[in-house]
Amino acid sequence: MSFHLFGKWLNALARPRVLAWWFICCALPMGLASALLTPIGQFPDEMAHIIRADGLRYGHVFGMSPPPGFPPMTPTAGVPLNKGLFDVLVIPQWVGLTAGRGTPAQVQRQAEQVRWGNASYWPTQMVEYLPVFYIPAALGLLAGQTIGLSPLHALLLGRVAMLLAYMALGAVALALARFGGALLFAVLTLPTLLNLAGSFNQDAPMVAGFALAAALLTRTGIRAWAAGLAVLSLTVSAKLAYAPLLLLGLAPLLAPGLHKRLLGVALAALLPGLWLLHVLHGGFIPAPVTPYHPGPLWPGNKSVWLHSAQPSSNIKVLLAHPWEIVRLPVITLTFFWPQTWRLILGMVGCDHGLIWAWEYPALAAALGMAALGALAERVRGWGVSDGMLACLAIFTAFLGMELSMYLTFTPAGYLVAMGVQGRYFLPFLPFFIFILAWAGGGLARGQLPEGLFCAPAMALGGVNLVALPWYVWRLYHGGGL
């Protein structure tokens, strides 16, 4: 009798609304700690993301070319940036701020005294991205200036706005998912995402957007399918390399109406396609400018000096070695994997803050149990062909992500793609619910309660309610770890 009651209690944990509310409880403390305790500029590429968000506040969706006489810089386009925000952003750089030192008192006072000024052009590579996930940050900056906050405090408000957007998208995804809720919860509560959620970096709300799209695609009905495809279209437009994930809109392949789903996917591809044309026309591709010799894969004279990493250079490499389209991304993944997997699960700050060693096996166990739960779920109407479609979509998106870094960030002819970060793999994780559900085909779990599979992730989330905020405080204000 007691086991039966315990099973009922565990099953209650797996209810979508319970997962959604517990996600909010887990995300809020860590997100606020990250937003309010992390010094300005100490998130990955935060200055570039702030510039993009502030430009959106001035109505610049597409970016603009440099004004006449502007010094040449790597990004070939930018947006307006308020002088007050710029003055705050460069203060920590003046004192060589690093992890463990926190924000020195004189720097904090200097930042608080900065006032708003006029907007002027500033370049940022983030103009490559459709700025849908910068809207909360832009609204936070606008509200901050409107109510009289200083630029520093407006930046903190923008961070909190990004956190609230992440929490809203993630909670709705968990509430709507017909299956795979445990795995979605485990992914959305990864320390890397909870930390990024409290920053101007768009990656956390983008992953939550992917989770929402996946959740909508788990549901039956034309409205849910259309909404999922619309969310997926917006989200892949924010980072075009993930566009192959639109293929998931075709599932279930054997269900009636495949031609309508093909039309829907084609329509959903219009927005990212048009944005790609805009990016190519605008030339918004960043490239290193230090002269260098091309790498071993360069098909021409390897003794020449190259002065940029234009996509055309590495396109020439891939045309000369077409097998590298698949081989190079796989080699890059295996070469950097010993460091990458830790950055996927638990990165804090600018890639220098790895969480405690004990967290990693706990996170792996939580993800593993959630994955077993997805294997055991029954998904009617979808079969092996749909599982293969999901594998194809994720693998081609992986190739697109790696090759985009090879074309735009890697010197010509190199053997691996440079600049691939652990967080770039996070958008794939929500869609594994489809592969696992189809692969398992509803494997019998006997008398095991459904909630058993989400309990480890929920318990770890409870531990991290305290552990992760304390970690952020120690990292930046407690003398380091």
Side-chain angles (χ1 to χ4, degrees):
M1 183 68 178
S2 59
F3 178 79
H4 177 70
L5 291 175
F6 181 67
K8 290 181 64 176
W9 179 79
L10 276 179
N11 281 332
L13 295 179
R15 293 174 182 169
R17 290 187 179 181
V18 174
L19 287 173
W21 280 109
W22 189 235
F23 163 71
I24 292 173
C25 293
C26 295
L28 187 60
M30 176 56 176
L32 286 177
S34 297
L36 303 179
L37 297 178
T38 304
I40 299 298
Q42 291 300 298
F43 287 105
D45 302 318
E46 189 173 36
M47 182 173 182
H49 289 292
I50 290 172
I51 296 171
R52 185 63 166 124
D54 197 46
L56 186 60
R57 181 168 69 102
Y58 287 105
H60 284 262
V61 175
F62 301 102
M64 55 190 294
S65 299
F70 194 84
M73 300 187 71
T74 294
T76 56
V79 292
L81 174 69
N82 191 281
K83 184 179 182 301
L85 296 179
F86 175 79
D87 290 343
V88 172
L89 290 172
V90 297
I91 289 175
Q93 297 178 11
W94 291 342
V95 297
L97 189 62
T98 58
R101 289 189 55 190
T103 304
Q106 69 273 19
V107 174
Q108 183 71 22
R109 287 193 297 269
Q110 186 177 357
E112 291 174 348
Q113 292 170 1
V114 172
R115 294 297 176 258
W116 297 97
N118 296 323
S120 59
Y121 173 87
W122 196 257
T124 173
Q125 68 270 31
M126 303 307 167
V127 291
E128 293 182 20
Y129 306 139
L130 182 72
V132 60
F133 292 110
Y134 293 105
I135 293 175
L139 292 175
L141 292 174
L142 178 62
Q145 185 175 15
T146 301
I147 64 178
L149 296 181
S150 68
L152 173 63
H153 295 115
L155 286 170
L156 299 180
L157 183 60
R159 283 178 168 182
V160 173
M162 291 290 275
L163 168 64
L164 295 177
Y166 175 74
M167 291 169 56
L169 290 169
V172 173
L174 291 168
L176 291 180
R178 189 164 63 91
F179 60 87
L183 186 56
L184 290 179
F185 179 88
V187 170
L188 290 169
T189 52
L190 287 174
T192 297
L193 282 173
L194 295 181
N195 179 247
L196 285 175
S199 76
F200 279 78
N201 191 306
Q202 68 161 354
D203 288 346
M206 183 183 68
V207 173
F210 279 125
L212 177 57
L216 287 166
L217 292 176
T218 66
R219 303 180 69 84
T220 57
I222 187 65
R223 292 184 178 179
W225 171 81
L229 207 52
V231 172
L232 197 52
S233 177
L234 279 172
T235 307
V236 300
S237 297
K239 279 201 175 179
L240 295 170
Y242 301 106
L245 294 172
L246 287 169
L247 291 173
L248 289 164
L250 297 175
L253 288 173
L254 300 181
L258 179 60
H259 66 287
K260 294 181 179 179
R261 293 194 295 278
L262 280 168
L263 177 60
V265 170
L267 291 174
L270 283 177
L271 179 60
L274 291 172
W275 189 260
L276 175 62
L277 292 176
H278 159 67
V279 170
L280 295 176
H281 178 264
F284 299 153
I285 305 297
V289 294
T290 303
Y292 66 96
H293 290 300
L297 294 178
W298 181 248
N301 182 4
K302 296 180 177 60
S303 65
V304 300
W305 287 98
L306 299 179
H307 297 272
S308 66
Q310 293 296 333
S312 58
S313 299
N314 275 330
I315 288 176
K316 185 184 299 185
V317 170
L318 295 178
L319 289 175
H321 310 283
W323 57 88
E324 295 293 340
I325 294 174
V326 175
R327 179 182 176 276
L328 190 143
V330 174
I331 292 297
T332 301
L333 175 64
T334 56
F335 183 79
F336 291 108
W337 186 248
Q339 299 82 33
T340 300
W341 73 270
R342 292 180 180 271
L343 297 176
I344 294 173
L345 299 181
M347 182 202 78
V348 176
C350 292
D351 291 347
H352 51 233
L354 293 174
I355 54 177
W356 301 282
W358 63 263
E359 277 263 12
Y360 293 102
L363 289 166
L367 284 169
M369 283 296 292
L372 286 176
L375 278 170
E377 293 185 276
R378 295 186 181 275
V379 183
R380 293 182 180 179
W382 291 334
V384 175
S385 60
D386 302 304
M388 298 301 293
L389 175 67
C391 291
L392 175 65
I394 292 174
F395 183 68
T396 51
F398 158 72
L399 296 182
M401 179 271 289
E402 293 271 3
L403 292 175
S404 69
M405 297 303 297
Y406 190 69
L407 293 176
T408 63
F409 197 79
T410 306
Y414 275 33
L415 293 171
V416 295
M418 307 301 294
V420 179
Q421 305 295 319
R423 63 184 184 275
Y424 297 168
F425 294 89
L426 292 170
F428 305 130
L429 299 185
F431 298 101
F432 273 87
I433 63 175
F434 300 107
I435 296 177
L436 293 170
W438 291 320
L443 293 175
R445 60 171 181 258
Q447 299 299 315
L448 294 177
E450 183 181 0
L452 179 67
F453 298 99
C454 62
M458 297 180 78
L460 185 58
V463 172
N464 284 335
L465 278 169
V466 176
L468 291 179
W470 182 79
Y471 182 92
V472 173
W473 181 83
R474 283 289 307 274
L475 178 65
Y476 290 113
H477 302 278
L481 293 164

